Amino acid sequence: MEEINHKIELSWDEYQLLKSDSKKYHNLHRSLLEYMGYEDEYLITRAGLKKLKRDDLVTIVLEQRNMIRKLIDDLDPLKRDAHIDALDNLYMDKGKE
């Protein structure tokens, strides 16, 4: 199979826009995989998190908070209470370490 290479010319502004959009897409894709990350291979590792900028980490935390709220709000009352208790226990136990 023959590989075809195409070249296009872009202005510097167009290049910067594409570069910025590519970064936004990458970050959105990473966040989506993080949300879906039931398996460890989709989760950002501790080392990966340490490489992120503070603003990126803040964005991830705020997005995850919103997602957790939405998921808990969508549960029936008994499950909602159980999950809230589990979250309380998780964070209360962390303070004892």
Side-chain angles (χ1 to χ4, degrees):
M1 187 180 271
E2 184 179 327
E3 184 177 319
I4 300 174
N5 290 322
H6 297 281
K7 290 185 178 184
I8 60 170
E9 289 188 27
L10 297 172
S11 70
W12 183 251
D13 291 337
E14 290 172 317
Y15 169 75
Q16 291 297 330
L17 179 64
L18 287 173
K19 187 176 170 182
S20 172
D21 286 349
S22 176
K23 184 175 181 179
K24 287 176 188 174
Y25 170 80
H26 173 74
N27 290 338
L28 182 61
H29 185 253
R30 184 188 67 223
S31 294
L32 180 61
L33 290 177
E34 181 80 12
Y35 291 141
M36 296 177 358
Y38 183 74
E39 296 187 24
D40 288 343
E41 67 187 83
Y42 293 114
L43 299 176
I44 300 172
T45 63
R46 184 176 192 86
L49 288 169
K50 286 183 176 184
K51 291 179 185 177
L52 294 175
K53 294 179 183 172
R54 182 177 288 200
D55 284 344
D56 294 332
L57 292 170
V58 168
T59 299
I60 289 171
V61 167
L62 293 175
E63 288 172 349
Q64 288 178 346
R65 275 188 200 165
N66 288 334
M67 184 56 65
I68 289 169
R69 282 188 188 125
K70 175 159 179 30
L71 292 172
I72 288 176
D73 287 345
D74 288 347
L75 295 173
D76 64 67
L78 289 176
K79 284 186 179 180
R80 183 180 310 130
D81 292 342
H83 285 291
I84 290 172
D85 288 343
L87 287 170
D88 283 344
N89 290 333
L90 174 69
Y91 290 105
M92 292 302 183
D93 290 342
K94 281 191 177 220
K96 295 176 185 175
E97 294 175 358

